[in-house]
Amino acid sequence: MEPPVEMTPNTAPTARSLLIDWTNKQDHWIRALVSEVIETRAEVSEDRAKWFYELCLREKELRDGAPVEVPELSHGQSEVTASDTLTLQSLGNVHNVNALALDQQIDFNPHLTVVFGENAVGKTGYVRILKRIAAVRTAEPILPDVGKANAAGKPEARIRFSLGSKVDTVDWRDEAGVYPFTRMDVFDARSAAIHVDTDLTYIYTPGELSRFPLVRRGIDRVRVLAEAEIRALSTQANPFTAQFDRKSRIYTKIENLGASTQLAELRELSKVAQEEEDEAPSLRTQIEALKSSTPRAHLTLAETDKQFLDRALRLAKAVGGFDLAEYQVALTDFTAASLRYEQATKSSFAGVAIPGILQDEWRRFIQAGEDYLQAIAADDAYPAAKDPCIYCRQPLGASAVELIRKYREYCKNELRTSVTSADSRIAALSAPIAGLELEAVIKNSADYINARSENGSVSALHAFADLLPKVAVLKEALAKRETYSWPSLKDDAAAAKLEIQGEAATTKQLIADLTVQSSNRDQTLKDREAKLLDISSRLRLRDLLPQIEEYVGRAHWVDKAKNHAKRFQSVLRTLTDTSKVASEKLLNQDFEHRFQAECELLRAPTVKLEFPGKEGQVTRHKALAANHRLSEILSEGEQKVIALADFLAELGLKQPLAPVVFDDPITSLDYKRTAEVAERIVALSETRQIIVFTHNILFTVDLLSRVEKQKERYVYYDIKREGDLRGIVSQGAHPRDDSFNSLRGTINTLIQAAEKESGAAQAALIAAGYESLRAICEIIVERELLQGVTERYSPMVRVTMLPKIRFGRLEAAVGPITGVYDRCSRSIRSHSQPLETLNVQPTVADLKKDWQIVEQARDAYLGNKGKT
């Protein structure tokens, strides 16, 4: 991106020329945008931003269509003339604005309007209307009369105005910023603080400079459109992965679709030969056939047969290994030992009356007792005399001791040990036969033989089939410890074993053959499925290729658009730099000159001006010391004049002209600065419409005294409060608009009324008459005898009026008037009275006489007797 334009020393650059030079080094679409802004001096609309965005895309080959070439902008184009002057004509029909009274109206003078009123009489309500409709920096919400419980409704007012030669009316309903009133400016206490400490952008930017932020916002709108489209396309999920099998060789390529995808490779993969496409149905048929369960089922049956034959072989081996002769010997020994043991036991317990003796339950009980004694390590001599019972812990008698000893001898008897040893030998010999799962083998054997019969085969397990019943009888005899005769036991078992081994060999070979067949079938199925998957995936790719190409194209577009979008920041930065150069040359230098001039006129302290720029906006900063705000250093009065200087300097830049409102601009100012501000405001009113709201009577008089000879250039309003109503407006010529003529009518009215009354009512009317008569005396002295050389609210002595005083007639007028003035002071309640005169009340005749004295003295001085 090019740096901001640098002008040669002998060139006189303007903001417009700097903008054009910058534009001519940018893309064509930017030239088109700037050209439109220069011509229209208006914001780039959303629709126009979309059009410039399309130009940008075509220029960057991101859209179809020929790019638009925009020639370099010319410096010779002329500026458009400024808009017409705005002038307020009236403000009325006010409703729901604070506590302002209805049916009030202010008619504004095109030059100067002064609105005077004490605090809390309603001035602020009118100012707030103007601030809100103008949307100035310090505008605030407007409330209805909060003193009323049911106050509601939007604020309303009717404003009549002229724009150039056109007169129009706006019915305002609380809108903020209504055109063309946004051209107006307002200075009040709140704006003073802003003008002192805040880094301000200009409320008005000259036409040339105003285009920089317009251009910036236009380019920024195009940037937003670009980023929105990039974001929308970037967040689109890949819709194709779900349509391809993960086992396909195409899946990874589809999963990784993006800007780097090689479409040529995908196009090549999507080419499916006709013979391949024709082969697909056949492959599906083959796969269905290969998926049939016949080979696998045969293999499963063969493996089941092998499991049976393995169990059968184990049975035959167990039977063949059983020593029947040795079993018979062990059984004989067991029988003999059992007989001897039983006889000895019966002899030992002969005569003992024990229930169930020698029965199995009794035997288990006695053995459990001995096991318990062994567990607790009881002495072999237990029980001795006087030993307690190990169970109930009660003393044992002699017979009990003898019986327990017999029990223990029974458990330890050698004959019993012989029985146990013989029994264990029989169990060991019988274990191989007892552990046989004979019932399962018999059932499996029957199933095996039946299956072969159903298949037309003959089972070779004849000997094994004959063996099984004999084994069942043998197993039962062993379980009962009975004798069993089977002379051919080993031969029968050997014959069955040979049969089983033959069948097992055959079955093993069958399993091997079926396993090979199944493996070959599975591989063939796998090959067919892989081939069909490849053909199907490529056919699917062929169908989706246009959509995939579009998706990849969008990814390419996003990558390319992102690269171009990065340039927006550089473009906007160089625009800001160029704007800074333009503002320094056109705006800041001019503003600084005006600001310093205003500071000099207002005797403001010298402050340093700085002009930082940010995002194409021109700002200004005022400082006296680093890291300190002006409000931390300057007095309130100094802050106020600095704020005024800043405000007035800014006004000096503003075109076209529009009304300026001052709301108590001289708060915190001393007398001299108040006069300087009044002078500056009056000077402004020569070229601009000025509206002043104030509660300061001296300031009001000062303003009016400077324009009183040009009645057409000002209008004065007095605002009062009557009860709960505020903002009662009345037009006059002076804060105290008493005149001889107006008060003369008042006195005559009071005299006529007093003549018709009596008592307290008449006394009150006479006192009121003397009040007005006293005021007339002051007016005659101030305005007529002394010709306004000094006035009560005037900040200056008008020495130039001294020659107008009629010195030859002055003495003759002073005596009568001062005499009446003294009597007036003694006759009114607002003036303190001596005690001796408190009960002396003037009459109607006295009032008429004193009034006649004043009139005659005035007429004599003015030389116009009879013309008053």
Side-chain angles (χ1 to χ4, degrees):
M1 187 61 60
E2 295 292 331
V5 176
E6 302 227 350
M7 306 302 293
T8 57
N10 58 354
T11 303
T14 64
R16 185 174 178 281
S17 67
L18 289 171
L19 177 61
I20 288 174
D21 287 339
W22 173 86
T23 303
N24 287 338
K25 295 183 179 182
Q26 307 306 318
D27 294 335
H28 289 269
W29 72 268
I30 294 179
R31 291 186 196 174
L33 186 150
V34 176
S35 178
E36 182 170 304
V37 168
I38 288 177
E39 181 179 352
T40 64
R41 294 179 297 121
E43 291 280 354
V44 175
S45 66
E46 288 294 338
D47 289 341
R48 294 303 295 167
K50 291 176 182 177
W51 167 244
F52 293 124
Y53 177 50
E54 288 299 318
L55 295 184
C56 173
L57 294 179
R58 285 157 61 180
E59 185 172 349
K60 303 304 178 184
E61 298 180 352
L62 293 169
R63 278 281 198 279
D64 293 335
V68 175
E69 293 190 4
V70 179
E72 291 189 358
L73 306 187
S74 169
H75 288 274
Q77 299 173 5
S78 59
E79 291 288 344
V80 180
T81 58
S83 299
D84 293 325
T85 299
L86 170 66
T87 303
L88 295 182
Q89 293 194 353
S90 66
L91 169 62
N93 283 24
V94 177
H95 293 78
N96 300 316
V97 176
N98 304 155
L100 294 185
L102 304 179
D103 301 323
Q104 302 300 304
Q105 179 166 309
I106 300 176
D107 293 320
F108 299 104
N109 185 275
H111 295 280
L112 177 63
T113 301
V114 179
V115 183
F116 169 78
E118 298 175 355
N119 290 328
V121 298
K123 299 189 304 300
T124 301
Y126 293 110
V127 175
R128 285 178 177 173
I129 294 173
L130 297 176
K131 286 168 64 176
R132 185 159 177 80
I133 198 170
V136 296
R137 295 181 179 119
T138 59
E140 57 234 302
I142 297 178
L143 302 176
D145 186 357
V146 296
K148 294 182 179 179
N150 299 321
K154 278 191 173 184
E156 297 180 13
R158 176 169 293 175
I159 301 174
R160 186 174 176 82
F161 67 97
S162 64
L163 191 60
S165 58
K166 182 180 178 182
V167 178
D168 204 349
T169 300
V170 166
D171 286 323
W172 171 78
R173 291 180 175 82
D174 199 33
E175 298 93 345
V178 179
Y179 179 83
F181 305 105
T182 48
R183 297 181 185 178
M184 297 194 308
D185 300 290
V186 179
F187 183 87
D188 58 2
R190 296 180 66 192
S191 63
I194 294 174
H195 280 277
V196 170
D197 283 334
T198 306
D199 290 356
L200 294 176
T201 56
Y202 291 92
I203 56 174
Y204 166 77
T205 305
E208 292 185 357
L209 281 179
S210 65
R211 294 188 179 91
F212 281 94
L214 293 176
V215 169
R216 179 183 180 83
R217 288 193 290 271
I219 294 175
D220 205 49
R221 281 188 169 178
V222 175
R223 176 191 62 79
V224 169
L225 291 172
E227 291 178 351
E229 186 167 3
I230 290 171
R231 186 166 53 253
L233 294 179
S234 299
T235 55
Q236 290 182 357
N238 186 334
F240 307 109
T241 52
Q243 304 190 49
F244 290 87
D245 194 298
R246 284 184 173 273
K247 293 179 287 185
S248 167
R249 60 173 173 150
I250 295 175
Y251 182 82
T252 302
K253 301 181 187 301
I254 297 300
E255 186 180 33
N256 296 321
L257 284 177
S260 60
T261 298
Q262 299 297 319
L263 286 174
E265 183 180 6
L266 292 180
R267 293 189 186 104
E268 191 63 31
L269 285 171
S270 69
K271 295 177 181 177
V272 181
Q274 187 61 46
E275 54 268 24
E276 290 181 300
E277 191 170 354
D278 295 340
E279 187 182 7
S282 175
L283 287 172
R284 292 190 182 92
T285 302
Q286 293 177 44
I287 289 169
E288 290 299 321
L290 289 169
K291 283 182 177 179
S292 67
S293 59
T294 302
R296 178 59 62 185
H298 290 170
L299 181 58
T300 301
L301 290 173
E303 289 174 342
T304 301
D305 289 347
K306 181 179 180 302
Q307 292 173 1
F308 159 69
L309 292 171
D310 289 343
R311 286 195 296 272
L313 185 61
R314 286 195 297 272
L315 184 147
K317 287 180 179 180
V319 173
F322 180 69
D323 192 337
L324 184 59
E326 187 176 357
Y327 169 75
Q328 294 290 4
V329 172
L331 183 60
T332 300
D333 292 344
F334 172 75
T335 302
S338 296
L339 181 60
R340 291 193 299 270
Y341 176 61
E342 183 144 350
Q343 288 174 349
T345 300
K346 288 180 179 180
S347 175
S348 176
F349 288 102
V352 179
I354 299 175
I357 191 170
L358 298 181
Q359 293 181 7
D360 287 342
E361 290 79 12
W362 178 86
R363 293 177 192 275
R364 288 195 295 271
F365 170 70
I366 297 302
Q367 185 62 46
E370 182 61 26
D371 291 342
Y372 175 65
L373 287 171
Q374 295 297 328
I376 64 174
D379 193 341
D380 289 342
Y382 177 85
K386 299 181 181 180
D387 280 345
C389 175
I390 63 171
Y391 305 117
C392 67
R393 307 309 295 170
Q394 300 298 317
L396 295 172
S399 58
V401 170
E402 182 65 24
L403 182 60
I404 291 174
R405 285 177 178 173
K406 285 184 179 183
Y407 286 163
R408 297 200 71 182
E409 287 174 3
Y410 166 77
C411 293
K412 296 178 180 179
N413 194 293
E414 292 181 0
L415 292 176
R416 183 174 184 274
T417 303
S418 298
V419 173
T420 303
S421 176
D423 185 67
S424 297
R425 184 181 175 196
I426 291 174
L429 290 171
S430 304
I433 302 303
L436 292 175
E437 297 177 357
L438 190 58
E439 292 78 4
V441 174
I442 292 173
K443 181 180 183 304
N444 294 152
S445 176
D447 293 341
Y448 183 84
I449 293 170
N450 292 335
R452 271 140 188 79
S453 298
E454 292 173 1
N455 294 334
S457 303
V458 179
S459 171
L461 299 181
H462 303 294
F464 180 71
D466 294 338
L467 180 67
L468 289 176
K470 297 177 181 179
V471 174
V473 175
L474 174 62
K475 185 176 181 182
E476 185 178 359
L478 295 179
K480 295 179 178 180
R481 297 293 193 269
E482 295 176 348
T483 59
Y484 183 72
S485 176
W486 190 354
S488 60
L489 173 64
K490 291 190 178 293
D491 293 338
D492 292 345
K497 179 179 177 181
L498 288 175
E499 288 180 348
I500 293 170
Q501 287 175 336
E503 288 284 306
T506 302
T507 301
K508 182 178 180 180
Q509 184 59 48
L510 177 61
I511 288 174
D513 293 342
L514 289 174
T515 300
V516 172
Q517 292 177 21
S518 178
S519 176
N520 291 338
R521 190 183 185 96
D522 288 346
Q523 184 60 47
T524 302
L525 175 62
K526 184 177 180 181
D527 292 343
R528 298 293 188 276
E529 286 178 334
K531 188 172 184 180
L532 179 61
L533 176 61
D534 186 66
I535 294 174
S536 299
S537 299
R538 288 160 57 210
L539 286 171
R540 186 63 181 150
L541 175 62
R542 185 180 68 183
D543 294 340
L544 294 174
L545 190 60
Q547 299 174 44
I548 291 173
E549 288 178 338
E550 183 180 350
Y551 180 86
V552 173
R554 286 199 299 268
H556 279 292
W557 187 95
V558 168
D559 265 18
K560 189 175 179 181
K562 283 182 177 178
N563 289 332
H564 288 297
K566 293 176 182 177
R567 298 187 65 247
F568 277 102
Q569 196 62 35
S570 175
V571 169
L572 293 173
R573 186 181 63 253
T574 58
L575 177 63
T576 298
D577 293 341
T578 305
S579 174
K580 287 181 181 179
V581 173
S583 63
E584 177 63 27
K585 293 182 178 299
L586 179 64
L587 184 58
N588 292 345
Q589 289 179 1
D590 192 9
F591 176 82
E592 186 170 15
H593 171 74
R594 292 175 181 273
F595 177 73
Q596 298 301 344
E598 295 291 351
C599 285
E600 184 176 348
L601 287 172
L602 298 173
R603 294 187 299 108
T606 302
V607 297
K608 180 182 178 182
L609 280 176
E610 298 170 350
F611 300 95
K614 184 178 181 181
E615 296 185 352
Q617 295 291 320
V618 183
T619 60
R620 60 185 186 273
H621 172 77
K622 294 173 285 297
L624 276 172
N627 303 321
H628 289 285
R629 295 179 300 171
L630 291 183
S631 60
E632 297 173 335
I633 302 171
L634 301 178
S635 69
E636 288 190 18
E638 289 174 320
Q639 293 177 47
K640 179 59 70 72
V641 292
I642 285 292
L644 274 168
D646 189 79
F647 179 80
L648 294 174
E650 195 173 45
L651 282 180
L653 298 175
K654 190 169 183 180
Q655 294 291 336
L657 300 179
V660 182
V661 180
F662 291 92
D663 184 15
D664 273 330
I666 48 83
T667 306
S668 304
L669 298 185
D670 57 28
Y671 167 76
K672 290 185 178 180
R673 283 205 172 104
T674 298
E676 290 160 355
V677 171
E679 182 178 2
R680 190 71 189 92
I681 288 177
V682 170
L684 278 175
S685 70
E686 295 179 2
T687 56
R688 298 175 181 270
Q689 184 180 36
I690 305 296
I691 302 168
V692 179
F693 290 83
T694 182
H695 73 282
N696 190 302
I697 192 168
L698 293 178
F699 179 58
T700 303
V701 172
D702 195 352
L703 284 172
L704 297 178
S705 66
R706 297 174 187 273
V707 292
E708 64 181 353
K709 293 182 179 179
Q710 298 172 288
K711 302 294 185 182
E712 75 285 353
R713 289 193 59 245
Y714 80 96
V715 63
Y716 168 79
Y717 286 95
D718 186 87
I719 293 185
K720 295 181 181 180
R721 173 178 178 177
E722 294 181 2
D724 293 334
L725 294 178
R726 293 172 172 83
I728 307 298
V729 179
S730 58
Q731 185 175 344
H734 194 275
R736 180 172 181 177
D737 196 26
D738 295 340
S739 66
F740 180 85
N741 289 332
S742 64
L743 289 176
R744 179 174 58 186
T746 300
I747 291 176
N748 290 332
T749 300
L750 289 170
I751 291 173
Q752 292 173 9
E755 288 176 332
K756 298 176 183 179
E757 298 291 342
S758 61
Q762 185 184 64
L765 290 169
I766 293 170
Y770 273 106
E771 287 274 5
S772 298
L773 184 56
R774 186 174 185 270
I776 279 185
C777 291
E778 292 176 349
I779 291 173
I780 292 173
V781 171
E782 182 181 36
R783 300 185 185 179
E784 297 179 340
L785 299 188
L786 300 181
Q787 291 295 307
V789 172
T790 58
E791 294 179 324
R792 281 169 290 185
Y793 304 114
S794 175
M796 60 183 177
V797 176
R798 303 168 68 188
V799 178
T800 56
M801 299 301 291
L802 282 173
K804 294 186 178 182
I805 298 177
R806 296 177 172 88
F807 293 100
R809 303 176 185 176
L810 185 58
E811 186 176 359
V814 168
I817 291 176
T818 54
V820 173
Y821 186 82
D822 289 341
R823 287 192 293 277
C824 290
S825 298
R826 289 195 300 269
S827 302
I828 61 176
R829 296 177 182 177
S830 60
H831 198 279
S832 61
Q833 305 293 325
L835 290 175
E836 60 270 17
T837 64
L838 286 177
N839 291 324
V840 178
Q841 299 293 330
T843 63
V844 176
D846 293 334
L847 176 60
K848 293 173 66 176
K849 180 180 179 181
D850 287 335
W851 171 221
Q852 185 177 15
I853 292 171
V854 170
E855 282 189 301
Q856 291 174 351
R858 175 179 178 270
D859 290 340
Y861 177 81
L862 296 176
N864 56 354
K865 186 176 181 179
K867 299 178 182 179
T868 57

